Amino acid sequence: MENQINDLLKILGDKNNIKSLNHCMTRLRIEVKDPRLVNDKQLNSFTLAKGVVVNGKNIQIIVGVKVKTVFIELSNRLNNENSDEQKSKEDNLKKRSKMTFFSEMFLPMIPWILLTGMLLIASKIYYIKDIFYLNLLKGILIKYFPVPLGYSLFKYKNRNPLIGLMFGIIMVTLNKTENLILLIAGFLILMKIEELLDKMIKDPFKILLVPGLSLLLSVGIVDILLYPILDIFLKEILKFIDYIFIWKYYPILAFLFGISYAVLVKKGLHHILLFVDLQLILAAGGTFLWPMIVISNIAQGSVALGISFKEFHAALLAYIGITEPAMYEVNLKSKNKFHATLISSGIGCFITGIYKIKSMGIGPGGLPALFVVDRSFLRGFLLAILVTILTGFLLGFISKRSSR
């Protein structure tokens, strides 16, 4: 690993060219000072990279499950400097754009969300759906999700995660867990109050007063001031979404989502939609986005399979919701192949729009989603999946021939 980190630093133009560094579940995200110092050819052939996305000074290296190890090793190398420049760099490493924050804040929650989705699937299987402990665990995961959410948000922002955890418990106790907008606003207010009190109150009283006062003030603001406003706000948003869902042009919007989702994945912004999915499930009992995300994932696998049967393993992984091998190792190798995935996804999503398909939960983003789609939508969802597989395979085959 040490040699590979050394190689990566040379490729990026040395450690002095790195302005900021962070990561998500599979990607290393780097902002460089001068993109001209980056060796693009060597970057694309870097041994740890399953794919590379470059947008000016911003570089995303798709590493996979080892991304955290690579991030830690690279961070350690960057932190071995002793200078004012390094202090400035460390400050930059801690910064997150608002868009990145909303994209990444649910990342630590993904195992929780996936487990909840799989339990929702299990609860629909005849032989095990009535198992007491299975249903007990499912109920706990759904009810208490603000608790780990608070913990992960505060840890992400380098604040005391136990304060976020306590705020989540209080929100569950007050039965204010269906409005994610309220929850996120509450967590952000709590962070700000805790930060201000931490500066105002001196030791030795800080450790005694800051956590309790922060929680007391933020809960009061959320419960008394924000809840009435944001409750009405959420209801109006849900009314608007219901109107869009029954609008006669909704299938066109679904098509547009289908041709756009993979672009969000490419830019690393797709985790934002977890917020929307969770909110719709909590407040409206189902989400129309998750079935379309599933269709986009299946399109990635189908196009890869159409390009070559040797990509069967990558296609199989995409069919169960793991799209990195198909997307980054196959489909993003040329514009024709990637555009084929967008068209196939758009066609499949258009069909989900015609049948008004909703998912009652979220989980693995592939064929297992058949179990979390309500049975009344099952026939339409199966049709959308089959059409996506066929069009994806055909377009993949055509894109392979046109690229020769």
Side-chain angles (χ1 to χ4, degrees):
M1 179 66 73
E2 184 178 352
N3 291 334
Q4 292 166 322
I5 296 299
N6 288 335
D7 291 341
L8 180 58
L9 286 171
K10 289 178 183 177
I11 291 169
L12 295 172
D14 201 8
K15 56 189 176 184
N16 294 321
N17 194 39
I18 297 177
K19 184 178 180 181
S20 68
L21 173 71
N22 58 72
H23 73 96
C24 65
M25 289 291 285
T26 59
R27 306 169 189 225
L28 194 65
R29 294 177 176 173
I30 303 164
E31 183 183 358
V32 295
K33 295 177 181 177
D34 187 353
R36 293 172 298 179
L37 299 178
V38 178
N39 190 319
D40 294 329
K41 185 177 180 180
Q42 290 183 11
L43 181 61
N44 282 288
S45 60
F46 178 55
T47 53
L48 292 176
K50 295 182 179 179
V52 176
V53 179
V54 179
N55 184 14
K57 295 181 179 181
N58 298 300
I59 299 170
Q60 295 183 42
I61 303 174
I62 295 84
V63 177
V65 293
K66 293 182 179 179
V67 66
K68 190 169 184 179
T69 303
V70 177
F71 172 78
I72 292 170
E73 291 289 334
L74 189 55
S75 296
N76 289 339
R77 292 297 301 275
L78 294 175
N79 291 334
N80 282 336
E81 301 171 30
N82 294 308
S83 65
D84 293 336
E85 183 181 355
Q86 174 59 19
K87 186 178 183 302
S88 175
K89 185 180 293 183
E90 287 174 358
D91 291 338
N92 284 326
L93 292 177
K94 295 177 182 177
K95 291 180 181 179
R96 301 286 192 272
S97 68
K98 291 181 180 179
M99 187 65 74
T100 302
F101 171 68
F102 283 105
S103 175
E104 295 182 357
M105 67 181 176
F106 287 105
L107 285 177
M109 290 286 293
I110 286 178
W112 184 289
I113 292 167
L114 289 177
L115 179 57
T116 304
M118 286 187 284
L119 287 171
L120 285 167
I121 291 172
S123 67
K124 295 178 180 294
I125 299 173
Y126 180 77
Y127 295 103
I128 61 174
K129 67 179 182 178
D130 295 323
I131 295 175
F132 172 76
Y133 291 109
L134 186 148
N135 289 301
L136 176 66
L137 180 58
K138 181 187 71 174
I140 290 171
L141 290 175
I142 292 172
K143 181 178 180 180
Y144 289 96
F145 88 93
V147 179
L149 177 61
Y151 184 92
S152 66
L153 283 179
F154 270 67
K155 191 171 182 180
Y156 179 85
K157 282 291 191 177
N158 295 318
R159 310 302 300 175
N160 185 348
L162 292 178
I163 296 177
L165 183 146
M166 286 301 300
F167 186 85
I169 292 173
I170 294 169
M171 290 294 101
V172 172
T173 305
L174 293 174
N175 199 26
K176 289 180 169 57
T177 59
E178 290 189 355
N179 191 330
L180 269 183
I181 302 171
L182 178 69
L183 281 174
I184 300 301
F187 283 125
L188 294 176
I189 289 170
L190 175 59
M191 285 181 193
K192 195 64 179 177
I193 291 174
E194 194 254 351
E195 185 180 342
L196 289 172
L197 291 178
D198 192 57
K199 293 177 180 177
M200 292 170 58
I201 300 174
K202 305 299 182 182
D203 289 326
F205 303 104
K206 184 180 293 187
I207 193 171
L208 295 172
L209 297 177
V210 170
L213 285 175
S214 300
L215 287 166
L216 184 64
L217 291 171
S218 58
V219 169
I221 292 170
V222 169
D223 194 33
I224 298 169
L225 298 178
L226 286 185
Y227 175 72
I229 299 170
L230 293 182
D231 186 53
I232 295 171
F233 180 66
L234 177 61
K235 287 176 181 177
E236 292 303 315
I237 289 177
L238 292 175
K239 284 181 184 177
F240 177 73
I241 290 173
D242 284 340
Y243 171 76
I244 293 294
F245 195 64
I246 62 173
W247 191 34
K248 64 179 180 179
Y249 297 114
Y250 170 69
I252 297 174
L253 295 180
F255 172 81
L256 293 175
F257 180 88
I259 63 174
S260 304
Y261 178 73
V263 178
L264 290 178
V265 175
K266 182 181 174 183
K267 294 183 178 294
L269 299 174
H270 56 299
H271 296 299
I272 295 173
L273 297 177
L274 277 175
F275 177 90
V276 182
D277 277 321
L278 284 171
Q279 182 62 85
L280 290 172
I281 290 167
L282 289 168
T287 172
F288 56 86
L289 289 180
W290 191 252
M292 293 192 284
I293 291 171
V294 169
I295 290 296
S296 180
N297 292 344
I298 290 172
Q300 292 291 337
S302 300
V303 170
L305 194 61
I307 291 168
S308 173
F309 282 109
K310 293 179 181 179
E311 307 300 343
F312 176 79
H313 183 255
L316 185 62
L317 288 174
Y319 288 160
I320 60 173
I322 304 169
T323 58
E324 272 83 1
M327 184 171 183
Y328 292 101
E329 295 178 18
V330 183
N331 299 330
L332 275 172
K333 296 298 183 183
S334 76
K335 288 185 178 180
N336 286 345
K337 295 171 185 176
F338 186 60
H339 290 162
T341 67
L342 303 184
I343 295 169
S344 174
S345 173
I347 293 170
C349 288
F350 183 80
I351 295 172
T352 68
I354 292 174
Y355 284 90
K356 314 291 186 187
I357 295 168
K358 279 187 179 182
S359 171
M360 303 303 107
I362 56 179
L367 294 176
L370 285 165
F371 291 99
V372 292
V373 168
D374 191 274
R375 289 185 178 180
S376 60
F377 302 115
L378 197 55
R379 185 176 296 178
F381 193 42
L382 276 170
L383 177 63
I385 288 173
L386 289 173
V387 170
T388 302
I389 291 173
L390 291 173
T391 56
F393 184 86
L394 180 61
L395 289 170
F397 181 76
I398 294 171
S399 68
K400 177 185 177 182
R401 292 180 64 86
S402 64
S403 62
R404 287 178 178 176

